[in-house]
């Protein structure tokens, strides 16, 4: 059984709740990623920040990325996957919530990220096709 722990990118770098969007964008650039988990002062996951969030919710609304904080963009329930959950659960969660990246948690600790590409490398083609179709549909 392949688990999230088996296919995730480990050691996910967080953007802190109180870091600016500008700092987050620089961190994304340095790491070559399009999303970062937002972690609070208690080290718990508070949300995900994507490059699209920065463009649409900050730049597109004329806000200053040097004064907006990452925590301002953390909204609602954070969709996660357990480190020991299997690929079937990953596929179900991504499809159900229409997300391309899932923070992987062990207890309350963030241990990695599973991206759509990680799943594509780990599962048979028909399942990946179903996931892509699900994520692309309204």
């Amino acid at each position: 059984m392949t688990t999230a722990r088996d296919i995730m990118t480990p050691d996910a770098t967080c953007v802190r709740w109180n870091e600016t969007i500008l700092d987050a964008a620089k961190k994304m650039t340095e790491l070559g990623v399009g999303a970062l988990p937002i972690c609070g002062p208690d080290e718990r996951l508070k949300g995900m920040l994507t490059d699209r969030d920065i463009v649409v919710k900050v730049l597109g609304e004329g806000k200053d990325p040097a004064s907006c904080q990452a925590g301002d963009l953390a909204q609602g329930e954070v969709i996660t996957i357990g480190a020991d959950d299997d690929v079937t659960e990953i596929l179900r969660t991504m499809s159900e919530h229409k997300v391309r990246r899932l923070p992987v948690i062990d207890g309350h600790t963030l241990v990695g990220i599973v991206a759509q590409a990680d799943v594509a490398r780990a599962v048979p083609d028909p399942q990946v096709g179903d996931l892509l179709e699900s994520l692309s549909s309204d």
Side-chain angles (χ1 to χ4, degrees):
M1 172 179 76
T2 302
T3 67
R5 190 184 311 274
D6 297 328
I7 65 172
M8 71 182 186
T9 300
D11 304 322
T13 300
C14 282
V15 59
R16 299 284 167 222
W17 182 263
N18 61 348
E19 284 186 84
T20 69
I21 297 300
L22 182 59
D23 290 335
K26 288 178 181 178
K27 195 176 280 192
M28 284 181 186
T29 300
E30 289 168 11
L31 296 170
V33 298
L36 291 171
I38 302 170
C39 295
D42 57 0
E43 296 303 316
R44 291 202 178 189
L45 187 63
K46 302 297 182 189
M48 287 291 287
L49 177 67
T50 66
D51 46 11
R52 187 175 193 285
D53 291 333
I54 293 171
V55 171
V56 173
K57 297 176 183 174
V58 178
L59 301 176
E61 293 182 8
K63 296 177 183 173
D64 179 9
S67 62
C68 292
Q69 293 183 334
D72 295 339
L73 299 183
Q75 299 177 4
E77 178 188 3
V78 183
I79 307 303
T80 63
I81 195 80
D84 296 319
D85 288 345
D86 67 19
V87 171
T88 303
E89 182 64 16
I90 296 168
L91 288 165
R92 188 198 63 73
T93 303
M94 285 182 160
S95 295
E96 181 179 322
H97 296 283
K98 304 243 188 241
V99 295
R100 298 175 194 280
R101 300 170 191 96
L102 285 172
V104 180
I105 57 169
D106 191 353
H108 293 291
T109 305
L110 177 69
V111 294
I113 300 282
V114 171
Q116 181 178 333
D118 299 321
V119 176
R121 285 189 292 270
V123 301
D125 288 344
Q127 289 178 300
V128 174
D130 292 345
L131 174 62
L132 293 174
E133 183 178 334
S134 166
L135 293 175
S136 298
S137 65
D138 293 327

